[in-house]
Amino acid sequence: MRSHKVTRGLDRAPHRSLLGAAGFHPRELEQPLIGIVNSANEIVPGHIHLHQIAEAVKAGVRLAGGTPIEFNTIAICDGIAMNHAGMHYSLASREVVADSIELMAEAHCFDALVLITNCDKITPGMMMAAARLDLPAVMISGGPMLAGEYRGSKLDLSKLFEGVGAARSGRITARELDEMAAEACPGCGSCAGMFTANSMNCMAEALGMALPGNGTIPAISAKRTRLAKDAGLQVMDLLKKETTIKGILVREAFDNALAVDMALGCSTNTLLHLTALAHECGFRLDLDQVNEVSARTPQLCLLSPAGANHIEDLDRAGGVPAVMKELTAAGLLHTGLQTVTGKTVGENISSAKNADYSIIHSVKEPYRPQGGLAVLFGNLAPGGAVVKQGAVSSSMQRFEGPARVFESEESAIEAINNGSIKAGSIVVIRYEGPRGGPGMREMLAPTSVLAGMGLDDKVALITDGRFSGATRGASIGHVSPEAAAAGPIALVRDGDLISIDLPGRRLNLKVSADELEKRRAKWRRPEPKINRGYLKRYAAQVSSAGLGAVLDEGSNQETGDFS
């Protein structure tokens, strides 16, 4: 046991003394020490109840003969950080989450980990730490929030952001917007749609890192508490069998995750995080592979923001196991892979049933014949760009228009709010990438305001930053290389024609190569927007979005290589 390094032998008497000072009984120190990583805090709605989840996890560990030891990491709420300087810190916090877990686990020699998470960057950060440490580990999320209700219709946070645009354009009143705000988020949990938090919690389940039900059982359900106890029990079984996380996170597990991603219509951010997780596992998740999986995987669910259904509806229909069962029937999953349950993927889903084909369509009658995400390439995005094609209207699948170029999210929002963005145009927001942001801000405000104004099927957005999982419409993000790394997006000018072809997977700037070279010769990298503290260090080390925006001192954004 790793923990014997701090609990056994004459030389460890001082260590035992310190552990005794923390209240641990000598008999507890004879058992395996299980790190319980908890991201609970009092500001993130998805995390305010995680102390209760932690108590359930610890009960499970104790039932199986282990000694649980809880410690915390940080959690940023993307919704609260949205549309101001705070969003610069969101993606960047993923690395702090991963690093802090590594530091605690290695310094204190935990034998295994249970990772208690729920929202946006916390879930992938914990996944990355688990892969890096390669210990027995189980992930358990706090579960999704229930949808709200307003005037007889379901409501969630994305509708509220769109309500801002509706209020600005006079389609609803300010009072109605406040009434919606009072109902949109009815209680604890990760926001109710297939946004980034729920997408990544479903990905943990699809990868085999979390128990069945992890992605969809509501936060307020007693089933969630029982699942947490099961997570505590199961990590002890993994420890006994010496099953570590890299034995689960094999290449084929990422194929499975991408297939489930496409079937569910998940957030574009999943590609950023799955790529980063693969990097921690020691291999490259190629963006071309994403298109290959998308081409053969039908979209079986149409969840908010793409449709009217929410995560609670998906859970009632059978959750991720039912989706995986549908995919397996079409031969789209690797069913022999090991998971944290101690069983294979096939064994986990053998008894799964699709209880509602109006929520989870069959592979024979999908919502769309292809997956929910697509990666576009072209002279504007040589390293790729990502779009949630399942949330793009048919009229915008192929689109061409003049560019309206903005150097920041704030300037774009100002133009949208003052009515200067007209139907048929393509808004380009640059210097918002991992390095240029810095921090690759998630931009729900401009997309939702356009949607609220009724322009989401008439105006496209392109950025080297990110779009929220709550975004819908022709919103193309993660353009790589980014503007701050001298990518072609830095050379776009107002009025340039841009061609978007989602079926053809192309994103092209209709400007000659000679003209672009002339512009490149005059281009100069602007001063960083934030050039201090953590973000200064982050910007100096971060790779491109196409490589997962991971930190690596040897990374080269311009070439996309690691040396």
Side-chain angles (χ1 to χ4, degrees):
M1 291 287 178
R2 280 165 44 101
S3 59
H4 291 177
K5 296 176 183 178
V6 296
T7 61
R8 300 288 176 92
L10 293 175
D11 292 342
R12 299 301 182 254
H15 305 64
R16 292 192 294 274
S17 178
L18 289 167
L19 288 163
F24 289 100
H25 191 280
R27 287 184 61 180
E28 289 181 293
L29 301 183
E30 293 173 2
Q31 300 175 150
L33 303 186
I34 312 301
I36 311 299
V37 189
N38 194 351
S39 54
N41 62 41
E42 294 184 345
I43 193 168
V44 185
H47 296 245
I48 56 173
H49 65 305
L50 293 188
H51 288 303
Q52 298 170 359
I53 298 295
E55 289 305 314
V57 169
K58 288 188 279 187
V61 170
R62 291 189 183 105
L63 283 170
T67 298
I69 302 177
E70 183 179 350
F71 64 91
N72 294 93
T73 188
I74 64 168
I76 288 176
C77 178
D78 277 25
I80 297 172
M82 194 73 66
N83 194 25
H84 60 86
M87 183 47 73
H88 288 288
Y89 294 86
S90 174
L91 178 61
S93 74
R94 184 187 71 182
E95 317 309 312
V96 175
V97 170
D99 290 350
S100 66
I101 296 169
E102 177 192 1
L103 292 169
M104 288 293 288
E106 294 286 30
H108 300 108
C109 298
F110 292 116
D111 296 306
L113 298 174
V114 179
L115 306 149
I116 305 172
T117 181
N118 219 18
C119 295
D120 298 278
K121 310 310 158 303
I122 301 92
T123 298
M126 287 191 179
M127 287 176 164
M128 291 163 65
R132 189 182 302 172
L133 292 162
D134 195 25
L135 296 172
V138 177
M139 175 164 281
I140 173 73
S141 80
M145 184 186 295
L146 296 179
E149 189 170 323
Y150 179 67
R151 296 184 178 179
S153 297
K154 292 289 186 179
L155 182 69
D156 59 35
L157 190 67
S158 67
K159 291 295 183 185
L160 189 57
F161 271 97
E162 291 178 12
V164 174
R168 287 191 177 277
S169 61
R171 299 171 73 186
I172 64 172
T173 66
R175 180 176 178 178
E176 287 173 316
L177 182 62
D178 283 340
E179 290 172 352
M180 291 169 64
E183 304 296 336
C185 299
C188 65
S190 48
C191 294
M194 189 52 82
F195 313 146
T196 304
N198 292 322
S199 294
M200 289 309 301
N201 288 327
C202 289
M203 290 298 95
E205 194 174 332
L207 284 163
M209 281 190 68
L211 303 179
N214 177 75
T216 62
I217 296 173
I220 63 170
S221 173
K223 289 182 180 179
R224 177 62 57 180
T225 304
R226 293 196 295 272
L227 190 73
K229 290 181 181 179
D230 283 336
L233 288 163
Q234 195 55 41
V235 78
M236 294 299 296
D237 188 61
L238 294 177
L239 180 60
K240 181 180 178 181
K241 294 176 179 176
E242 299 183 349
T243 301
T244 64
I245 209 67
K246 280 191 178 178
I248 292 167
L249 293 181
V250 296
R251 284 183 181 270
E252 293 81 3
F254 285 81
D255 287 338
N256 284 357
L258 287 175
V260 174
D261 192 336
M262 299 304 161
L264 290 173
C266 290
S267 165
T268 53
N269 285 316
T270 57
L271 300 189
L272 195 68
H273 300 318
L274 290 173
T275 303
L277 180 58
H279 177 73
E280 292 287 354
C281 293
F283 53 84
R284 176 88 173 264
L285 183 64
D286 198 301
L287 292 180
D288 286 320
Q289 180 185 349
V290 175
N291 282 338
E292 292 171 8
V293 175
S294 181
R296 64 175 180 258
T297 308
Q299 184 170 348
L300 305 183
C301 301
L302 203 63
L303 303 164
S304 177
N309 296 321
H310 292 84
I311 305 300
E312 62 199 74
D313 302 310
L314 175 62
D315 187 64
R316 282 195 297 270
V320 174
V323 173
M324 296 179 76
K325 189 73 172 287
E326 291 288 342
L327 295 175
T328 300
L332 294 171
L333 293 182
H334 303 279
T335 57
L337 305 183
Q338 290 298 312
T339 72
V340 294
T341 66
K343 301 176 181 178
T344 65
V345 171
E347 290 170 334
N348 285 343
I349 64 175
S350 61
S351 60
K353 290 183 173 59
N354 186 347
D356 191 340
Y357 281 92
S358 71
I359 305 296
I360 304 172
H361 282 206
S362 71
V363 290
K364 294 180 180 179
E365 296 180 334
Y367 280 104
R368 299 181 70 258
Q370 294 188 336
L373 300 181
V375 179
L376 311 182
F377 296 93
N379 69 346
L380 188 53
V386 181
V387 62
K388 185 187 274 194
Q389 63 176 352
V392 180
S393 68
S394 57
S395 63
M396 299 292 287
Q397 293 284 317
R398 287 189 173 89
F399 186 73
E400 185 175 301
R404 285 292 309 277
V405 182
F406 300 93
E407 311 299 313
S408 69
E409 178 188 10
E410 289 84 356
S411 58
I413 291 173
E414 182 180 357
I416 293 168
N417 286 337
N418 68 26
S420 66
I421 301 300
K422 305 301 181 185
S425 58
I426 296 179
V427 174
V428 176
I429 306 174
R430 63 191 180 195
Y431 297 106
E432 291 288 3
R435 181 188 300 180
M440 200 180 183
R441 284 194 288 182
E442 190 173 83
M443 291 178 277
L444 178 56
T447 61
S448 57
V449 171
L450 284 171
M453 291 178 170
L455 292 172
D456 56 299
D457 61 349
K458 301 176 181 67
V459 173
L461 291 96
I462 297 173
T463 183
D464 52 7
R466 301 181 296 127
F467 289 117
S468 166
T471 290
R472 61 186 174 94
S475 302
I476 301 168
H478 306 196
V479 170
S480 300
E482 62 175 287
I489 193 172
L491 310 178
V492 183
R493 293 180 180 174
D494 277 343
D496 287 348
L497 282 179
I498 295 175
S499 173
I500 299 168
D501 181 0
L502 301 193
R505 305 293 191 254
R506 304 300 296 169
L507 180 63
N508 285 310
L509 177 62
K510 291 197 164 183
V511 175
S512 71
D514 288 344
E515 172 60 22
L516 290 177
E517 282 306 310
K518 291 177 183 177
R519 295 181 187 181
R520 186 178 298 279
K522 297 178 181 179
W523 177 81
R524 298 293 181 271
R525 182 178 287 111
E527 288 296 313
K529 297 171 188 173
I530 300 176
N531 197 29
R532 56 182 169 78
Y534 175 66
L535 285 182
K536 182 178 181 179
R537 301 195 303 274
Y538 179 86
Q541 296 183 17
V542 69
S543 74
S544 76
L547 296 174
V550 295
L551 296 188
D552 193 312
E553 293 182 5
S555 68
N556 187 320
Q557 273 216 15
E558 283 79 1
T559 65
D561 291 332
F562 286 96
S563 56

